Amino acid sequence: RAYILTILTFLMGFGLFACSCPVYKNLEIFQFGEFEQSECVFIGEVLEFNPEKMSFRIKVIDSFKGTENGLIYEGTYDQQCGPIINGLGKWIFYGHTDSNGVLNVNECGLTRSFENPFHDFLDFEKSESEIKKQAQSDLELEIESLRNK
């Protein structure tokens, strides 16, 4: 009996760290919400990333909101709630800066790489090539929409 109580207590403890990500009806509503809640929205070049420290360096290439092209930020992300910065190259970034000027990725957000621009609204029952093509198309439309804001 003590064994079962110990396991239950252990499992309930994980609930304290669970993410409470909002649920959106579709990608367009999610994109609108991400833009509105973000201090900074831009396309950037990830120059370095460190999975152990959950940190990265990113250079702003094309700013849509809240920052200037050419700036380089130190940043962090939440390993549990994501998105996780796990590669170099171009990324679309939604986030905010803290009081120290460190860039923080919006938890459960739409920050993603150009190389793997997957999001939660894709139909994962399709083939891998169809999914990637749809994700790429969604990213292009998203960037076009951001440029028109």
Side-chain angles (χ1 to χ4, degrees), residues 97-148:
T97 55
D98 66 17
S99 59
N100 297 319
V102 174
L103 204 54
N104 296 293
V105 175
N106 289 349
E107 291 180 2
C108 309
L110 277 174
T111 294
R112 59 203 190 279
S113 74
F114 278 44
E115 187 175 330
N116 295 302
F118 303 110
H119 56 76
D120 291 339
F121 293 97
L122 293 167
D123 181 358
F124 289 100
E125 304 220 348
K126 292 181 178 178
S127 72
E128 189 175 333
S129 66
E130 288 177 310
I131 293 169
K132 184 138 185 173
K133 188 183 291 185
Q134 182 63 53
Q136 208 63 51
S137 173
D138 290 343
L139 180 61
E140 290 168 12
L141 290 171
E142 184 175 345
I143 291 168
E144 183 179 321
S145 173
L146 288 167
R147 287 195 170 119
N148 292 326

Side-chain angles (χ1 to χ4, degrees), residues 9 24 43 46 55 75-76 85 91 99 110 115 129 146:
T9 303
Y24 295 93
I43 293 171
V46 172
S55 65
T76 63
I85 309 298
W91 287 66
S99 59
L110 277 174
E115 187 175 330
S129 66
L146 288 167

Side-chain angles (χ1 to χ4, degrees), residues 50-62:
N50 184 328
E52 290 82 32
K53 294 183 178 180
M54 295 174 284
S55 65
F56 60 93
R57 285 184 68 228
I58 190 166
K59 180 178 182 178
V60 179
I61 295 172
D62 193 358

Side-chain angles (χ1 to χ4, degrees), residues 31-46:
Q31 290 166 337
F32 176 81
E34 271 289 89
F35 184 82
E36 291 300 312
Q37 77 170 6
S38 297
E39 176 190 333
C40 303
V41 179
F42 61 87
I43 293 171
E45 181 82 22
V46 172

